[in-house]
Amino acid sequence: MDLNKIVEVNGLSASFDDQEILSDISFSAYDKQTTVLLGGSGSGKTTTLRHILGLYSAKKGAIKILGKDINQLDEKELNQLYLQMGVFYQNTGLFSSLTVGENLTLPLEQHTNLPDEIIHDIALQKLSLVNLEHTYHMHPSQLSGGMAKRAALARAIVMDPPMLFCDEPGAGLDPVSLASLDELINHLKKQLGMAIIMVTHEVSSIMRIADRIVFFDEGKVVFEGTLSEALSSKKEALVNFFDKSRGK
Amino acid sequence: MKSIKDSAKLDKSDNFEYNLEGNTLFIKNSLGFSQAGKFITLILKDLKKYKGSELRINLAYITNIDSAGVTAIYYLKKKLEAKGIDVKIKDATKTVNEKLELFKPPDESSIQPVKKGPFIESIGKQIIYILKSYIFEFLVLAADVFYWSFNDLFVPKARRRGEVVNQAVLIGVNATLIVVVMTFIIGLVLALQSSAQLRNFGANIFIVDLTVIAMMAQMGPLITAILVAGRSGSAIAAEIATMKVTAELDALKTMGLNPIRFVIVPKMYGVLCTMPFLVILANIAGIAGGMAAANIFLDISPEVFFNRMDKALQNKDIITGIIKSIVYGGIIVLTGSFYGFKVKEGAEGVGKVTTIAVVASISLVIIADSIMGLIFY
């Protein structure tokens, strides 16, 4: 199957306070696939994601999204690119002062010229995709942890983005809720035909949703390949990670 | 081919077309987020003239559609059906059909409605809510704080070592400069404004009585309390609210530490220790301001001012000011803590309770001032 590259990271390096966090990392993520950025705490995976999202600017190296180098884009072009990117934050990022429905309608109101009734219907429909239509008038503080995660997912896909970026979506969830969130993400990926780039260290999640793995160790990419290649890899850092995750 | 609007061709960027042939509406090309708004505006305007009882929406020529396009089509269907037109969506390709099914807006009844009771009932509920959530809970917190403040006077282990001194510095000592400067200016302005009137009556010397009594019994404690409420009351509310949002208060509880003893009591000690001194400094600064104004505008020398002050000043005024400072200090800490504990949401909630805490503590200080004014009159 010939797949298009949607994200290309080339030679990215980053440091904070003279401490090198990322060292010359390169990898790609492909259309309609789930690429998992995997690694232990402090391995640089979230920093990489924040660079891809344009939240940190790359001092060295290039990041291309849909063929565009994000460091070469002006603010307007970057904002246009953001419309094609759904982002699902670890702590949901839902606006606590707005209702769940308003959280979803906000980007639609700001970025489209759709009538209010259609905006309402789109928001409601996206909530129904995550089985949360009944929470339309509720505030995020009234939702459980798992529900808030699903509401954040609904907001991330409200503009039908072709790419979904997830930062530790399973953090703080019990195994059952995590499994159902993974199932939901898989389901949405199939239905909406999205590419997913996910940062996680939950091995159970990886087994359920990953097509490709990019493994980080001490700020370097030490492995890039399919899930089955990752599972059969002899790379020491990767083997150790899977062994320790399985309690061996 | 009958077209409503010459095939309603739009500029290239809109990339969709529609036309009506008999009772069939053909929608062609792409219908997504960037086109759906314009599409629905135009089509509803054009279909106002439609007289038929039935309309078929033909989607065979749709090449690309997303959730906005699908929602727009269902919205159009709903609008036409409301006018009594029977609408059928026809000939969609497999992909478009899948999208139509996937993005079909759910029934409105699935939304949990906002519950609203009868008007009188809602007023009653609000009153009960205010009594329970504000007055009762405030009194419970006040009782708790006073109990632990007395109880822990001789139990230093109940708080971190050095915490009372730290709070006294933060709340009291660091406020000294602003309090002294502000009360000096207020004393000066008060004397200045009064001097013009007193001069008319040849009662220049009474500027001393006015300044001293006003500053000692009323202005000194009140201005100090307002400044401390704005400066430290907000900080107390924000600190406790942040601790609650970040689960630090829960952590204290689960470590077996009472948040009231550990967090609020040191603040209470700090404020009670420093407020009287702050008020004394404020009184001195205010009187100094009055003395400066009296000297400049009424030619009353400092010696004359001090002599008259000796007669005008009563012990009662000094004691009243100190009692007031202690009461105001207690109100500021209690109100800040109360609203800090009441925070519900995240970042926005912290800002909200901080603002309310300042407004509430200043209001309560003024109410307490009125009550004590009547008592000590």
Side-chain angles (χ1 to χ4, degrees):
Chain A
M1 189 165 46
D2 191 21
L3 293 168
N4 296 323
K5 280 182 186 176
I6 55 150
V7 175
E8 277 182 85
V9 177
N10 281 314
L12 178 67
S13 296
S15 54
F16 297 116
D17 299 330
D18 296 330
Q19 195 188 346
E20 194 171 56
I21 307 293
L22 299 175
S23 174
D24 193 24
I25 63 162
S26 300
F27 68 90
S28 301
Y30 298 87
D31 197 14
K32 300 187 196 311
Q33 293 221 329
T34 301
T35 305
V36 170
L37 310 188
L38 180 67
S41 299
S43 59
K45 52 193 192 302
T46 296
T47 307
T48 304
L49 183 69
R50 292 181 74 82
H51 275 94
I52 294 172
L53 294 175
L55 299 173
Y56 294 154
S57 57
K59 301 279 184 292
K60 197 177 161 203
I63 298 166
K64 283 186 182 175
I65 299 178
L66 299 173
K68 292 172 185 166
D69 186 339
I70 59 164
N71 287 310
Q72 305 297 321
L73 301 179
D74 61 28
E75 196 183 333
K76 198 178 168 191
E77 290 167 328
L78 191 61
N79 286 338
Q80 280 299 316
L81 188 62
Y82 279 142
L83 296 184
Q84 307 202 55
M85 297 158 68
V87 187
F88 179 4
Y89 293 97
Q90 182 176 354
N91 296 320
T92 75
L94 291 169
F95 305 116
S96 56
S97 56
L98 306 180
T99 63
V100 173
E102 286 165 343
N103 263 282
L104 270 79
T105 55
L106 180 70
L108 296 168
E109 285 164 357
Q110 294 301 313
H111 296 302
T112 71
N113 56 357
L114 294 166
D116 289 349
E117 284 159 295
I118 291 187
I119 286 176
H120 165 85
D121 283 351
I122 294 172
L124 190 60
Q125 185 274 323
K126 292 290 156 59
L127 279 174
S128 81
L129 285 180
V130 298
N131 296 320
L132 279 183
E133 58 270 40
H134 63 285
T135 65
Y136 192 90
H137 292 304
M138 290 184 185
H139 277 86
S141 58
Q142 294 172 278
L143 306 181
S144 69
M147 286 163 85
K149 295 262 183 193
R150 282 190 280 144
L153 182 56
R155 189 180 68 177
I157 60 166
V158 77
M159 296 281 291
D160 292 3
M163 296 172 282
L164 177 66
F165 296 86
C166 307
D167 184 13
E168 305 269 9
L173 291 183
D174 62 87
V176 177
S177 305
L178 178 59
S180 63
L181 182 70
D182 289 340
E183 200 180 304
L184 181 63
I185 290 173
N186 262 342
H187 180 64
L188 292 175
K189 184 186 103 177
K190 275 180 202 152
Q191 286 193 311
L192 305 175
M194 292 183 298
I196 297 176
I197 290 100
M198 181 187 285
V199 166
T200 187
H201 53 238
E202 299 278 354
V203 172
S204 56
S205 269
I206 297 158
M207 299 301 177
R208 283 188 287 263
I209 64 174
D211 295 311
R212 293 180 64 79
I213 301 280
V214 179
F215 187 79
F216 286 74
D217 188 40
E218 295 181 350
K220 292 184 177 113
V221 171
V222 295
F223 172 85
E224 187 189 355
T226 63
L227 176 63
S228 55
E229 285 167 355
L231 292 171
S232 56
S233 168
K234 302 292 179 211
K235 296 248 180 197
E236 195 185 346
L238 196 56
V239 172
N240 281 344
F241 181 84
F242 281 121
D243 283 351
K244 282 181 184 164
S245 304
R246 289 164 183 153
K248 281 186 189 172
Chain B
M1 185 198 299
K2 186 187 172 192
S3 88
I4 294 174
K5 200 184 165 188
D6 242 350
S7 182
K9 250 190 187 167
L10 299 165
D11 58 84
K12 295 269 183 216
S13 63
D14 288 307
N15 193 26
F16 70 86
E17 293 175 30
Y18 63 80
N19 65 292
L20 188 72
E21 288 177 26
N23 64 354
T24 304
L25 173 72
F26 290 91
I27 304 172
K28 300 174 183 176
N29 301 338
S30 185
L31 191 58
F33 271 99
S34 43
Q35 298 95 16
K38 203 162 191 178
F39 164 75
I40 204 74
T41 311
L42 288 172
I43 194 95
L44 284 175
K45 198 175 155 196
D46 287 344
L47 283 177
K48 268 185 186 169
K49 301 165 192 166
Y50 188 73
K51 300 286 180 200
S53 60
E54 164 180 84
L55 183 76
R56 290 173 176 217
I57 300 176
N58 188 306
L59 302 180
Y61 304 104
I62 288 270
T63 52
N64 188 24
I65 194 165
D66 63 15
S67 62
V70 170
T71 312
I73 287 169
Y74 280 116
Y75 177 74
L76 174 66
K77 184 171 184 275
K78 191 169 79 178
K79 284 277 171 191
L80 294 175
E81 282 174 347
K83 284 163 92 182
I85 301 167
D86 182 29
V87 181
K88 284 193 173 65
I89 297 171
K90 292 276 186 188
D91 299 331
T93 60
K94 191 180 169 228
T95 321
V96 173
N97 247 332
E98 281 170 5
K99 297 268 175 78
L100 284 172
E101 202 48 49
L102 177 65
F103 296 128
K104 189 175 183 178
D107 193 357
E108 282 291 317
S109 62
S110 56
I111 305 178
Q112 213 167 58
V114 182
K115 285 176 190 164
K116 277 186 185 168
F119 181 63
I120 301 291
E121 191 183 320
S122 65
I123 290 176
K125 278 184 178 168
Q126 276 298 314
I127 291 170
I128 292 169
Y129 174 75
I130 289 167
L131 284 173
K132 189 168 167 281
S133 299
Y134 286 88
I135 295 170
F136 179 70
E137 284 183 14
F138 184 82
L139 292 175
V140 168
L141 177 75
D144 249 2
V145 172
F146 288 130
Y147 172 78
W148 289 114
S149 297
F150 283 115
N151 188 72
D152 290 352
L153 266 176
F154 306 105
V155 190
K157 241 190 142 181
R159 53 193 170 269
R160 277 174 56 224
R161 195 175 297 154
E163 187 58 18
V164 174
V165 176
N166 185 29
Q167 292 298 329
V169 171
L170 283 174
I171 299 172
V173 179
N174 290 351
T176 308
L177 185 65
I178 185 80
V179 167
V180 167
V181 171
M182 286 298 122
T183 45
F184 179 85
I185 293 168
I186 286 167
L188 188 106
V189 172
L190 181 72
L192 175 66
Q193 295 287 330
S194 313
S195 63
Q197 302 301 318
L198 292 171
R199 199 188 290 122
N200 290 340
F201 296 102
N204 290 8
I205 194 65
F206 289 106
I207 192 77
V208 182
D209 299 54
L210 191 147
T211 308
V212 169
I213 295 168
M215 286 311 298
M216 296 294 272
Q218 185 65 27
M219 299 297 277
L222 189 63
I223 298 299
T224 307
I226 289 172
L227 289 170
V228 173
R231 191 184 165 280
S232 303
S234 56
I236 293 169
E239 182 190 334
I240 294 172
T242 308
M243 287 180 82
K244 189 174 176 190
V245 167
T246 55
E248 289 173 47
L249 293 179
D250 295 339
L252 277 176
K253 275 185 200 165
T254 51
M255 278 184 227
L257 300 168
N258 183 337
I260 288 175
R261 293 175 81 180
F262 203 79
V263 180
I264 303 175
V265 169
K267 293 184 195 306
M268 188 59 100
Y269 288 155
V271 86
L272 294 185
C273 290
T274 52
M275 272 297 275
F277 293 107
L278 271 182
V279 168
I280 290 166
L281 285 173
N283 291 342
I284 294 169
I287 291 169
M291 192 162 65
N295 194 16
I296 296 164
F297 299 103
L298 296 173
D299 291 329
I300 294 171
S301 68
E303 291 82 11
V304 175
F305 194 97
F306 278 121
N307 282 338
R308 180 67 197 173
M309 192 170 89
D310 199 27
K311 290 175 189 157
L313 190 60
Q314 292 177 17
N315 284 343
K316 192 191 89 176
D317 294 329
I318 301 170
I319 294 165
T320 306
I322 291 173
I323 293 172
K324 280 184 175 182
S325 72
I326 292 170
V327 173
Y328 297 161
I331 287 173
I332 291 164
V333 172
L334 280 176
T335 314
S337 310
F338 175 72
Y339 282 101
F341 280 124
K342 278 213 113 32
V343 70
K344 277 181 184 161
E345 299 119 25
E348 198 227 356
V350 175
K352 207 187 278 177
V353 293
T354 306
T355 312
I356 300 171
V358 173
V359 174
S361 53
I362 292 174
S363 308
L364 287 176
V365 161
I366 291 169
I367 292 169
D369 183 59
S370 317
I371 294 168
M372 284 191 289
L374 289 170
I375 294 170
F376 298 122
Y377 178 66

